[in-house]
Amino acid sequence: MNFRWSTAFKIAWREARSSSFKFLFVILAVAVGVGSLTGVRGFSRAFHEMLLSQARTLMAADLSLRVFELPNPQQTAVMDSLSKDGVQRTWITETLTMASGSQANVPMLVSIKAVDPTVYPFYGEIRISPPASLRSALTSNTVAVSDDVLLRLHLKVGDTIQLGGQPFRIIGQVTYEPDRMLGSLNVGPRVMMTRAGLDRTGLMMPGSRAAERFLFRLQPNSPGIAVVRDRLKKAFPEALIADFRETHPIITQGLSRATTFLSLVSLITLIVGAIGVATAMQAHIQQRMDSIAIMKCLGARSVHLMRIYLIQTVALGLAGGLLGAAFGIAIQRIFPGFLARYFQLEPSARWDLITAAQGIGIAVLATLLFTLPPLLGIRRIRPNLILRREMAETKGDWRARLAAARPSIAAGVVIVIGIAGIAMSFATGSPQDIWRTGAYFAGALVVSLAVLSGIAWLMLRGLKILSRRHLPTSIRHGIANLYRPGNHAQTVLVALGIGVMFTLTVYLVERGVITQMNRTAPPGMPNVFLIDISPKDREAILSLLKQQRGIEGSAELIGTVAAKLIEVDGQDIQKKVLKGWARRFRYAHSVTSAAAMSGNVEVLRGKWWNSSKPPAAPEICISEEAAKTLGVEPGAMTRWTISGRELSARVACIHRIDEIHLASRVEFIFSTGALDGFPVIYYGALRVQPPAVPALQQALYERYPTVTVVNMADVLQTFQGVVDQIALVIRFISMFAILAGAIILASSVAGTRFRRMREVVILKTLGATRWRVSRIFSVEFLILGAVAGTMGALLANGFANLLLKRMLDSEISFPLLPSLLAVLATALIANAAGWMASFRILGQKPLEILREE
């Protein structure tokens, strides 16, 4: 038989036209997955291009340099030499302090940004309301503030705000700050002032914690950007340096990680859609078995017939991909709303050919992968099927069944490898990281699908047993419909369950992190911290704290010195392999002296010093975690630089301090006398009853306005805001998986439309009313949704508890209300999806169908 591709196209087109209603839903399921994927990746590309095109505006300069300590004379000399070569620079200091509007207002934590308004910003502009020029409006006696400062302190433009005990007039509200996202200390609401104004406040003392940013603008006659960057990198090896030729490293790294994670979440949605295509194709092939058998009798080979359904599969994936790519543009327009509080620059939502092509290609590949098993099943359809349809099928032994299943097993392996490859295409980092991402994603997906399939099978078996009991007719019929030929209830449950599981897991983890932080703080854990206490105020502040009500226990104050580790046993710390959080050891640290400790140190290895006889040469005791990270033991030698002077210290011991005490935040303790002569700044911690915190803040601010009071409740609120924003984005994307599952349910209903029509006609002929038939269908859809919601909720609670146990060592909990709401919402979504695909069936007249018989 001459079976050309053109013939396969004609047959595929005719069959697809007759099943257009059923195939429409699987196209939509694929489109949802592709839409979320292209939306995420399209926004990421557009945002990345925007960062590149507006890099100067976003950093307000050609090049920016950020450090957490003041430059030493050599570093200042390098910047001065660049100024002589035509490189203009300006200096920005960012720090935290307390602000007050009047004596009646409780002081609040604000983020100070000190600039030189005559030159800042080099690019872009600071917008103030009412409109004013920053150069003329901002003086040593005025400030510009963000809207939340005005709101929380009950102030308005023209009023006076107190900073460091000094009055400043508010000249306007900052409505746009181009480099706000690149700042380091953005914990509190913004207050912008001049450098002269910062000097007035008296906030900056030797050892004060602040972020220093230097912005550079190149003139036509200045050296090239690469030369300037190289000279600065040599002078500031520990600094974060970025220039207009690249996107900012912090933003770029965060954007890449977020894009990879959200792409993998979107891929799950696309896989759900691909499963729907495979399910629809399997049902379609089962309905066409007679036609397939006849064509085989006429001489068509299996490979010829596979072409027909291969064309249909590619067409479905291609149609879903094209529709999803268009849908992705709409999703792109939603993402800027999530970043509105950080950026007022909106990337363009446009048809990105690269992203669209990637999404369409992945859609076709995913649908092909998951349709392999039903396509290979065509080989097992024998020409004598029609003649022997009514005869009982004989099953071979396990060897024969295993041999018959080999193609399906091979197809499964190909599917897993293909999904891992797609996941790897989204990953970034080293080759090991990329391989690990693909392996973990594919493994987790296989396990999740297997677990969901197993639970779905068990629940369906349980419902079947339950239906044998004396139940109302509508419920028994609704349960029986789950076993209708071609209904694919198990696949629908898995698809819906994946979406519910992922969405609810995100919510439960977010809720658990915040709840656990509030609930499991150790008894007596400090909840108020004092920052930047000068040595001359130490005793007076301790005396004031003793007079305040609501303080539990005694306040703890510890003096620290800013020091930077240079070498460990002769090895340069900059050349040591440090990853993640361990990189903090390359920068300046707060260290303290043994004389400042209060006896809470547990020595694990080595020997603590005799307080009455300190060692002649400086020695140091290192925390257990720092020692493990740096790979040091007692006897090792370390070299430090403190305030421009170098200091060597032998490691005397390894210690541990319980987290209740402030000293646990300091990882390096020098022997008594080793830090004498260096500038000391004190930090404090205390436990205060929540109602007494405002009075404490007021009392401290009135007498010591330069001392910053950090209320952990405010910090937790800020943290919760960030977590909520991140969780909102993840939930937004993961909701598409639920939508894809609902569409697959509608596809399953559409695939059994003719069987449902016959059922409706028979029931109506036997006297059933339309209301009774509709109740049967509603019971079926509600049961499917409720079971899928229950499956998703159970697994979500399991995964959330596992994650929280590993992250926070929290207790296992099962929040009932979110789980019940998830089950209810899924049942309603399933009911709506089911009726969307079957509402026309109830209108069928019995006589029309009976005449067709």
Side-chain angles (χ1 to χ4, degrees), residues 284-540:
H284 181 62
I285 291 173
Q286 287 177 348
Q287 292 175 1
R288 300 289 175 178
M289 288 176 71
D290 289 355
S291 300
I292 294 171
I294 291 172
M295 283 189 284
K296 282 191 173 184
C297 287
L298 295 175
R301 298 173 59 187
S302 294
V303 67
H304 296 149
L305 299 176
M306 288 170 66
R307 290 178 188 175
I308 299 171
Y309 302 102
L310 179 65
I311 291 170
Q312 290 181 351
T313 299
V314 172
L316 289 174
L318 192 60
L322 288 170
L323 183 61
F327 179 44
I329 297 177
I331 297 177
Q332 274 185 251
R333 294 186 180 276
I334 297 173
F335 272 97
F338 296 126
L339 300 175
R341 61 182 296 184
Y342 304 113
F343 291 95
Q344 293 188 14
L345 300 171
E346 185 171 334
S348 60
R350 54 184 173 78
W351 181 274
D352 186 343
L353 288 178
I354 295 178
T355 304
Q358 184 186 39
I360 294 169
I362 291 174
V364 173
L365 177 59
T367 52
L368 276 175
L369 286 172
F370 280 92
T371 318
L372 273 178
L375 289 179
L376 292 175
I378 294 175
R379 298 164 59 250
R380 294 194 295 270
I381 299 177
R382 302 303 177 194
N384 60 2
L385 174 68
I386 299 173
L387 301 176
R388 301 180 62 182
R389 180 183 294 277
E390 302 300 326
M391 295 182 64
E393 182 181 358
T394 58
K395 292 185 178 181
D397 58 12
W398 66 270
R399 292 183 181 85
R401 292 198 299 271
L402 180 61
R406 284 175 184 170
S408 298
I409 295 173
V413 173
V414 171
I415 290 172
V416 173
I417 294 174
I419 292 302
I422 296 173
M424 288 168 61
S425 70
F426 298 149
T428 58
S430 65
Q432 292 83 358
D433 293 335
I434 294 175
W435 278 98
R436 192 180 299 114
T437 299
Y440 284 174
F441 181 83
L445 184 68
V446 170
V447 172
S448 298
L449 290 176
V451 171
L452 281 166
S453 297
I455 295 176
W457 184 83
L458 288 173
M459 287 190 167
L460 288 173
R461 291 289 297 175
L463 286 171
K464 191 171 186 178
I465 295 172
L466 182 65
S467 65
R468 296 169 185 167
R469 299 182 177 273
H470 297 290
L471 296 174
T473 306
S474 299
I475 296 178
R476 281 194 292 109
H477 273 282
I479 295 176
N481 279 355
L482 298 177
Y483 300 93
R484 179 197 310 278
N487 204 29
H488 300 291
Q490 189 169 341
T491 303
V492 172
L493 290 177
V494 171
L496 271 174
I498 286 177
V500 176
M501 176 188 70
F502 206 94
T503 307
L504 188 58
T505 298
V506 173
Y507 171 79
L508 292 176
V509 170
E510 173 201 7
R511 177 180 179 272
V513 168
I514 302 298
T515 304
Q516 194 70 12
M517 289 180 67
N518 282 320
R519 182 191 302 162
T520 61
M525 184 80 174
N527 60 349
V528 174
F529 294 88
L530 311 180
I531 301 175
D532 292 347
I533 302 172
S534 65
K536 64 182 179 62
D537 295 331
R538 178 182 180 275
E539 295 300 328

